[in-house]
Amino acid sequence: MEINEKKHKKEQQELIIRKYQQYLKLEKSLSLNTLDAYLTDLDKLMSFLTLEGIYVLDVCLSDLQRFAAGLHDIGIHPRSQARILSGIKSFFRFLILENYLEADPSELLEGPKIGFKLPEVLTVEEIDRIISAVDRSKAEGQRNRAILETLYSCGLRVSELITLKLSDLYFDEGFIKVEGKGSKQRLVPISPRAINEIKLYITDRNQIEFASAVILSRSQNVKEDKLEKAVKLLRSLNDKCPIVTTPWEELSGAQILEVMAVSYTHLRAHET
């Protein structure tokens, strides 16, 4: 009788997993990679329950807490732990939805605390080296200088930089008008160096080959993918400027600019 009961529970558990797989695929419309990740994480729980002799529909919170503790003990990264537990919670919500369970044992299950990774910042000297590495002999060189100086001088987000208009420049007053998140506008001081680079660029910009990628285009604002093209040269500076620990070739142009913007904010914080 006991053998038959174990066989029945095993068959029911396999049926539940197949239904969950269909649920993820059809109702959640998950990609194959995401689906595989969910099922791989669920398999970790099922292996734990098998070793502990616990039937999936008999799981309680303390069982899941021991499972979570085991993830920590074997050295799984906190972010990976959080992802696994999130998938487990999704599975038990499915069991509630399909009336396999009346109460969710994972409802009070807590994940690991994940701290925020502080961004790396560049020193003034390092940023000067990056800007100096721009090849002025190329048609787009002056534009790239204007991009980098404006971003760093004003501490702009990439999204703010690519929407900057000529009408937003108030050089005599020493500031620019920036439209940030939620269409909120603010006035930002701009350095004499950045002003000079922009003025030189405005003079030269009619000679630039790919006008659609220009930061201060007369006809339209440059898109973010065009901005990446405009600063593509930065990804080849690994030998000249080995600054951040992440290899330059793994960074997009926009990410490099974000590092520069964070560096500006970091520098300002230490000046005050």
Side-chain angles (χ1 to χ4, degrees):
M1 189 74 178
E2 185 178 345
I3 295 176
N4 289 335
E5 184 179 355
K6 285 184 177 180
K7 183 180 178 182
H8 172 71
K9 286 184 175 181
K10 182 180 179 181
E11 290 174 348
Q12 187 177 30
Q13 185 167 291
E14 291 173 350
L15 176 63
I16 289 172
I17 293 175
R18 286 199 300 272
K19 285 187 175 181
Y20 181 57
Q21 183 175 358
Q22 291 178 332
Y23 166 77
L24 293 176
K25 186 176 181 179
L26 300 178
E27 297 194 35
K28 289 291 186 178
S29 300
L30 299 182
S31 68
L32 287 178
N33 287 340
T34 305
L35 178 62
D36 286 343
Y38 268 80
L39 295 177
T40 299
D41 292 341
L42 178 59
D43 187 58
K44 291 181 175 64
L45 175 64
M46 292 304 174
S47 297
F48 169 80
L49 296 179
T50 299
L51 289 173
E52 296 290 320
I54 302 171
Y55 178 47
V56 66
L57 298 182
D58 294 333
V59 170
C60 62
L61 176 60
S62 62
D63 297 326
L64 296 177
Q65 288 173 333
R66 286 190 293 114
F67 170 72
L71 298 177
H72 171 77
D73 292 342
I74 62 177
I76 293 180
H77 191 278
R79 291 188 184 278
S80 296
Q81 293 178 43
R83 188 204 69 233
I84 292 170
L85 296 181
S86 175
I88 299 306
K89 285 174 174 285
S90 171
F91 174 67
F92 281 102
R93 285 195 296 269
F94 164 77
L95 295 181
I96 296 291
L97 187 66
E98 294 294 314
N99 296 317
Y100 283 109
L101 293 176
E102 293 183 359
D104 183 355
S106 70
E107 186 175 3
L108 300 179
L109 181 64
E110 295 183 356
K113 296 188 182 299
I114 302 174
F116 292 100
K117 182 181 178 182
L118 294 176
E120 296 175 83
V121 297
L122 309 180
T123 65
V124 175
E125 293 77 14
E126 288 168 337
I127 290 176
D128 283 340
R129 284 164 56 198
I130 292 176
I131 294 175
S132 298
V134 174
D135 188 353
R136 287 179 182 270
S137 66
K138 294 184 178 180
E140 67 273 13
Q142 185 55 49
R143 187 223 29 229
N144 291 343
R145 292 279 298 224
I147 286 175
L148 297 178
E149 283 286 2
T150 304
L151 181 98
Y152 183 61
S153 165
C154 303
L156 304 184
R157 300 183 181 94
V158 171
S159 59
E160 294 169 342
L161 178 66
I162 63 179
T163 57
L164 195 63
K165 304 181 184 69
L166 286 172
S167 59
D168 296 326
L169 307 178
Y170 298 88
F171 288 156
D172 291 341
E173 292 81 4
F175 65 84
I176 60 175
K177 183 173 65 177
V178 177
E179 185 170 303
K181 294 181 178 180
S183 299
K184 294 181 179 178
Q185 295 184 337
R186 69 184 191 278
L187 299 179
V188 179
I190 184 170
S191 72
R193 235 170 95 168
I195 291 174
N196 182 59
E197 296 294 351
I198 293 176
K199 284 182 176 179
L200 290 174
Y201 163 65
I202 291 174
T203 302
D204 293 345
R205 72 179 188 170
N206 289 337
Q207 303 171 20
I208 294 175
E209 289 183 26
F210 42 102
S212 62
V214 177
I215 182 175
L216 300 175
S217 170
R218 284 195 182 101
S219 58
Q220 61 180 6
N221 294 322
V222 58
K223 301 300 181 185
E224 191 159 353
D225 59 335
K226 297 294 186 182
L227 181 58
E228 286 199 24
K229 183 178 180 182
V231 296
K232 185 177 179 181
L233 75 144
L234 291 179
R235 285 185 279 184
S236 66
L237 296 180
N238 197 29
D239 293 334
K240 296 181 182 178
C241 305
I243 295 168
V244 295
T245 56
T246 304
W248 285 101
E249 60 269 16
E250 294 181 12
L251 296 176
S252 66
Q255 286 173 319
I256 294 170
L257 293 180
E258 291 287 14
V259 171
M260 294 182 67
V262 171
S263 299
Y264 166 87
T265 306
H266 177 79
L267 177 65
R268 283 297 212 193
H270 283 272
E271 286 179 346
T272 54

